[in-house]
């Protein structure tokens, strides 16, 4: 499963407040740990996994192994935390953030004059006032 940059950013923001639901301890990535990750992905779609080892390369290898075995997408690997996403039929987590449309107010008065003059003209106008 591949996520776009915007989807990853959105999922990272959703995962910020989550607590880790699975811990990979001193025994490493065992079948029971993978099963537990699969159960939690089915239940929540977006989860955090805490890895207790200090070896960064090992954590990266485990992240790749988990994603390959379970068909999930890596969202983030920061420190000893892994964030994983796998969608289900009844989508609990939205993948794309809602695009907010901002209303643009037209510039009026002095602000409009400054915008239309550009930076160089504004500096000259301020110098004339002095």
């Amino acid at each position: 499963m591949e996520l776009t940059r915007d989807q990853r950013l959105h999922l990272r923001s959703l995962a910020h407040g989550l607590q880790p639901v699975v811990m990979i301890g001193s025994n490493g990535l065992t079948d029971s740990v993978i099963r537990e990750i699969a159960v939690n992905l089915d239940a929540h779609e977006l989860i955090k996994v805490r890895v207790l080892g200090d070896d960064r390369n090992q954590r990266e290898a485990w992240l790749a192994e988990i994603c390959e075995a379970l068909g999930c997408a890596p969202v983030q690997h920061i420190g000893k935390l892994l964030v994983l996403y796998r969608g289900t039929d009844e989508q609990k987590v939205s993948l794309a953030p809602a695009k907010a449309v901002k209303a643009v107010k037209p510039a009026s008065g002095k602000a409009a004059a400054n915008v239309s003059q550009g930076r160089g003209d504004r500096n000259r106008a301020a110098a004339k006032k002095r």
Side-chain angles (χ1 to χ4, degrees), residues 72-91:
C72 60
V75 175
Q76 185 177 30
H77 171 205
I78 182 162
K80 295 183 179 186
L81 289 175
L82 311 176
V83 180
L84 305 170
Y85 171 79
R86 182 174 70 183
T88 58
D89 293 337
E90 56 179 74
Q91 196 167 3

Side-chain angles (χ1 to χ4, degrees), residues 57-110:
N57 294 330
Q58 183 64 53
R59 290 192 303 266
E60 289 174 354
W62 283 341
L63 177 61
E65 187 177 337
I66 291 168
C67 291
E68 184 179 323
L70 300 178
C72 60
V75 175
Q76 185 177 30
H77 171 205
I78 182 162
K80 295 183 179 186
L81 289 175
L82 311 176
V83 180
L84 305 170
Y85 171 79
R86 182 174 70 183
T88 58
D89 293 337
E90 56 179 74
Q91 196 167 3
K92 299 169 187 146
V93 176
S94 67
L95 267 182
K99 300 252 179 184
V101 178
K102 293 183 180 178
V104 178
K105 290 195 273 183
S108 62
K110 191 174 183 179

Side-chain angles (χ1 to χ4, degrees), residues 10-21:
H10 177 66
L11 290 172
R12 283 173 52 183
S13 70
L14 292 176
H16 178 73
L18 297 179
Q19 295 296 317
V21 293

Side-chain angles (χ1 to χ4, degrees), residues 21-68:
V21 293
V22 179
M23 293 177 76
I24 301 175
S26 59
N27 291 336
L29 191 61
T30 61
D31 290 337
S32 61
V33 171
I34 289 179
R35 244 188 337 268
E36 191 64 27
I37 292 172
V39 166
N40 280 289
L41 280 171
D42 289 339
H44 304 289
E45 289 186 349
L46 182 67
I47 65 168
K48 279 186 181 178
V49 177
R50 181 172 301 279
V51 182
L52 298 180
D54 288 331
D55 186 11
R56 180 174 176 79
N57 294 330
Q58 183 64 53
R59 290 192 303 266
E60 289 174 354
W62 283 341
L63 177 61
E65 187 177 337
I66 291 168
C67 291
E68 184 179 323

